Amino acid sequence: MSVIGIDLGNESCYVAVAKAGGIETIANDYSLRATPACVAFSGKNRVLGVAAKNQQVTNMANTIYGFKRLLGRKYRDPQVTFEQKHLPYEMVEMEGGSLGIKVRYLDEEHIFTPEQCLAMLFTKLKDISETALQTPVKDCVISVPAYFTIKERQAILDAAAIADLNVLSLLNETTATTLAYGIYKQDLPLPEEKPRNVVFVDCGQSSLQVSICAFNKGKLAMLSCAFDPNLGGRNIDFALAEHFKHEFIKKYKIDASQNPRAYIRLLAEAEKLKKQMSVNSTTLPLNIECFMNDKDVHGEMKRVDMEEMCRDFFEKIKLVLEECLAKSGLKKEDIQSVEIVGGSTRIPAIKNIIKDVFGCTPSTTLNQDEAVSRGCALQCAILSPAVRVKDFGVSDVINYPISIDVTDSIGGRVTDSMILYEVNCKFPLSRKITLKRSDAFEIRAHYANPVPYMDQEIGKWIIRNVKPTADGRDQVVMVTFSMNVNGILDIKRATVDSTEIVESEPMEEDKSAEENAEQQPPADANSAAAPPPEENKEKKKKPTKKVIHLTVDAINPLGLSVDKMNDRREKEGQMRANDKQEKERVDARNALEEYVYELRNKLSSHEELALYATEAVRENLIKTLDQMETWLYEEGEDCQKQIYKDKLNDLKIQGDPIEKRRIEYERLPVMIEEFRRVL
Ligand code: ATP
Ligand code: MG
């Protein structure tokens, strides 16, 4: 069983695996290392990955991509509205305001959620890996943008579960990159020496992420992180497409915005032009044949014109880089190197900005496209006992501070508010708070500062079974939160140290890795009721003290309900089985077609089979093959697998004896020689 690392990009995905000899990137069914994050639907099956992207222009309404940015979001989310403008498929509002994607599949209308679409892509990546590695694949580490909120992370976990993948850990893309860098660097300063400060800039198709880390041999400290979820290479494609759209309206009187297929082609050509501009500063052409109304169009542009046109975009990139440097507390001179990853860091203007802000020429020590997947594969190796890797301490950090509000009763007023997790806090990590309560109460968690997500809410819990002590005083309630390895927040338990309100049986305390990292909330939090350290020490001295677990009810818990998950898994299983069946059917048809052509060619050639059948048999068989060819393109175009198989067998009954005669004839000299030797 292999463990894979997946870089889930908005445009393309990479899969890597840790083996005894190092990290390997897995090539897909088209022998490509990048698999487009794209799924499509047809009357017969689903089309996934490269094949989906290849048929996009002819099946636009049923080709789904860009769903990484729709995960966990509601239909009316402004981000969804923004994406909708660029995506040619239909989105609909579903029960509870959730987002659905409407497609025609198997000649019927179907609505899938973005999580289901992602699950389809995961199914493809799993298949690719199993074929390449020739072993079952279940465990994986998946990258997530550092700016993903808890709900978006949960959506990825749901999608993985639908695709029958077991996520050992989600890993921030920034962390994956630093891991890929740090683990192989031989020349890092010793632990007691001054660390090497390295900046990582990842600019992909849709977003920008920057982090600054301090490296010593065997460890790293994340100093700062900054990002913009909406600054990526596609911004330039949009700008170029808009420019040429206006130019073509003037020049050719055709408006690409009126024709989604033309616009998609224009965007694809704009992207090509952008890539050419990265290596060429002269005037470059953009030509599209039969663009609209049978008209060919032509445009041209120079790199400097693009840079001028996208000045705001580059300015925003600069601001994010400067923000990261400011947050790290370092000066430009303290930075030893800048490593760039992500396709858009190939753009010369972005490289220049990086040089300007950090004072270093960007270096490409890392594989620009594969660093994130390699980092994920390394994390797999660290987490799994099967492969031995150097010990390199790396943990994810929280990018958004999390606060909680606590009420005095269910639906009551908020009496305590505090920051539970500060920014840059490493996780997994548990936090314990102490409250004085005499009634059941609510805890609501939310982001302390605005996040790039529609709502700031994270979760709501009700802590039940709380009653006053026998003498009418408040109980001391301890609530332990956990931020798990995937960056998901939950309440691990709520307890009281009293035996007076026994309603549930005392339970054994579990000791997990997170618990070992258990901490009190930061000192500056408004945690007036936090117990003094001595009290903790005292508790440790008296391990026999009874701990009563209170009931914790999560309201609208994150993730799919068991019923929904089972339903989605079942549907995915059916679609997968259908794809397999369809593939076998098409393969059977192709095998028959191939046999028809091959045998007919051989029967026509003296060097092949012409001499091994009588003229009458040969002519008859060629006639049968001609008829079979016609049948394949007419009524036999779309038959069941078995029909093709039966027809192939029938042909082989006639063709095989001729082939056999040839083999026997060719073996004749050898047989005569053997016979002579025996005599
Ligand atoms: P994201 O990280 O935003 O989720 P992703 O990981 O799929 O997306 P990448 O594969 O890192 O994105 O980068 C893809 C982007 O890089 C595309 O916008 C592509 O046009 C751009 N790109 C690739 N090569 C070049 C190049 N030579 N010059 C300019 N842009 C390029
Ligand atoms: Mg990326």
Side-chain angles (χ1 to χ4, degrees), residues 9-12 68 205-207 271 274 278 342-344 346-347:
N10 197 46
E11 183 176 85
S12 34
K68 177 177 170 183
Q205 191 231 14
S206 54
S207 67
E271 186 186 6
K274 171 190 73 177
S278 293
S344 301
R346 293 192 176 94
I347 296 169

Side-chain angles (χ1 to χ4, degrees), residues 7-10 12 68 173 202 204-205 209 342 372:
D7 167 12
L8 171 64
N10 197 46
S12 34
K68 177 177 170 183
E173 289 169 9
D202 179 351
Q205 191 231 14
Q209 301 174 73
V372 174

Side-chain angles (χ1 to χ4, degrees), residues 148-168:
F148 256 27
T149 57
I150 289 176
K151 287 180 185 161
E152 291 168 288
R153 286 164 194 266
Q154 182 61 47
I156 293 191
L157 294 175
D158 287 346
I162 297 171
D164 202 24
L165 281 173
N166 175 41
V167 181
L168 297 180

Side-chain angles (χ1 to χ4, degrees), residues 476-649:
V476 176
V477 180
M478 312 269 256
V479 182
T480 308
F481 294 84
S482 108
M483 171 68 75
N484 73 12
V485 70
N486 299 321
I488 306 281
L489 179 73
D490 203 355
I491 291 187
K492 204 147 98 184
R493 65 176 164 266
T495 58
V496 290
D497 281 351
S498 159
T499 51
E500 292 165 9
I501 58 156
V502 179
E503 283 192 356
S504 54
E505 283 298 304
M507 282 161 52
E508 274 289 302
E509 296 225 13
D510 55 325
K511 284 265 172 254
S512 63
E514 282 165 41
E515 184 140 353
N516 292 337
E518 207 164 274
Q519 288 180 10
Q520 300 290 334
D524 59 344
N526 177 19
S527 53
E534 296 80 58
E535 213 175 296
N536 275 344
K537 269 190 220 154
E538 201 182 316
K539 251 181 265 147
K540 275 187 193 144
K541 275 190 227 155
K542 293 182 188 171
T544 51
K545 195 166 185 177
K546 255 190 177 175
V547 173
I548 311 300
H549 285 250
L550 304 172
T551 304
V552 180
D553 283 340
I555 309 302
N556 298 327
L558 284 171
L560 293 174
S561 65
V562 175
D563 282 352
K564 267 204 171 137
M565 178 56 82
N566 287 341
D567 174 67
R568 303 266 152 94
R569 285 173 64 100
E570 197 185 316
K571 279 201 181 114
E572 177 61 29
Q574 281 164 2
M575 289 188 277
R576 198 163 187 265
N578 180 68
D579 290 344
K580 190 166 168 260
Q581 238 175 33
E582 175 60 10
K583 183 175 182 307
E584 286 170 359
R585 195 188 71 82
V586 171
D587 286 351
R589 189 189 182 283
N590 289 344
L592 175 61
E593 192 179 20
E594 206 175 303
Y595 189 75
V596 168
Y597 289 134
E598 202 180 294
L599 187 59
R600 197 170 45 196
N601 282 346
K602 284 181 178 174
L603 286 171
S604 313
S605 152
H606 282 269
E607 281 75 45
E608 298 275 357
L609 294 182
L611 297 174
Y612 302 93
T614 63
E615 197 52 27
V617 168
R618 202 175 68 90
E619 273 180 15
N620 216 0
L621 188 47
I622 289 183
K623 204 165 137 202
T624 311
L625 293 170
D626 287 343
Q627 284 164 353
M628 188 66 79
E629 186 188 6
T630 314
W631 176 83
L632 271 170
Y633 290 106
E634 290 172 5
E635 69 266 36
E637 171 86 52
D638 214 5
C639 293
Q640 297 290 320
K641 170 177 88 177
Q642 201 50 46
I643 296 179
Y644 296 124
K645 287 202 149 184
D646 292 345
K647 289 205 181 284
L648 180 61
N649 281 341

Side-chain angles (χ1 to χ4, degrees), residues 322-334:
E322 285 170 347
E323 179 194 334
C324 196
L325 184 62
K327 275 187 182 170
S328 72
L330 300 176
K331 291 195 202 67
K332 195 164 158 166
E333 301 71 50
D334 301 324

Side-chain angles (χ1 to χ4, degrees), residues 20 125 203 284 288 297 301 383 421 499 512 520 539 561 658:
L125 298 177
C203 190
L284 294 166
I288 312 177
V297 291
M301 193 179 283
L383 295 174
Y421 289 97
T499 51
S512 63
Q520 300 290 334
K539 251 181 265 147
S561 65
I658 308 174

Side-chain angles (χ1 to χ4, degrees), residues 329-552:
L330 300 176
K331 291 195 202 67
K332 195 164 158 166
E333 301 71 50
D334 301 324
I335 302 293
Q336 272 84 37
S337 73
V338 184
E339 299 295 331
I340 51 172
V341 295
S344 301
T345 51
R346 293 192 176 94
I347 296 169
I350 296 187
K351 286 190 191 165
N352 289 340
I353 296 169
I354 292 172
K355 196 170 170 197
D356 198 28
V357 174
F358 298 111
C360 311
T361 304
S363 64
T364 46
T365 311
L366 294 163
N367 180 320
Q368 239 167 316
D369 298 312
E370 297 173 14
V372 174
S373 61
R374 293 173 70 83
C376 290
L378 279 165
Q379 183 73 352
C380 294
I382 290 168
L383 295 174
S384 116
V387 186
R388 284 190 57 209
V389 280
K390 263 201 286 181
D391 196 17
F392 193 86
V394 59
S395 28
D396 263 332
V397 292
I398 288 171
N399 285 304
Y400 305 122
I402 295 174
S403 300
I404 50 167
D405 295 330
V406 190
T407 64
D408 55 359
S409 58
I410 299 175
R413 70 189 175 92
V414 174
T415 52
D416 299 81
S417 295
M418 62 191 87
I419 298 266
L420 194 63
Y421 289 97
E422 288 279 20
V423 74
N424 253 4
C425 228
K426 287 183 181 172
F427 66 88
L429 180 67
S430 291
R431 289 274 198 219
K432 195 187 274 182
I433 61 160
T434 306
L435 300 153
K436 291 198 171 162
R437 290 291 181 277
S438 54
D439 197 358
F441 60 97
E442 287 172 20
I443 300 182
R444 295 176 211 140
H446 56 90
Y447 291 108
N449 301 328
V451 292
Y453 196 78
M454 191 181 179
D455 61 70
Q456 309 291 304
E457 301 304 318
I458 296 174
K460 183 170 150 183
W461 298 265
I462 295 181
I463 317 295
R464 300 191 190 275
N465 315 111
V466 187
K467 289 181 177 168
T469 58
D471 53 2
R473 284 181 293 120
D474 283 346
Q475 289 283 353
V476 176
V477 180
M478 312 269 256
V479 182
T480 308
F481 294 84
S482 108
M483 171 68 75
N484 73 12
V485 70
N486 299 321
I488 306 281
L489 179 73
D490 203 355
I491 291 187
K492 204 147 98 184
R493 65 176 164 266
T495 58
V496 290
D497 281 351
S498 159
T499 51
E500 292 165 9
I501 58 156
V502 179
E503 283 192 356
S504 54
E505 283 298 304
M507 282 161 52
E508 274 289 302
E509 296 225 13
D510 55 325
K511 284 265 172 254
S512 63
E514 282 165 41
E515 184 140 353
N516 292 337
E518 207 164 274
Q519 288 180 10
Q520 300 290 334
D524 59 344
N526 177 19
S527 53
E534 296 80 58
E535 213 175 296
N536 275 344
K537 269 190 220 154
E538 201 182 316
K539 251 181 265 147
K540 275 187 193 144
K541 275 190 227 155
K542 293 182 188 171
T544 51
K545 195 166 185 177
K546 255 190 177 175
V547 173
I548 311 300
H549 285 250
L550 304 172
T551 304
V552 180

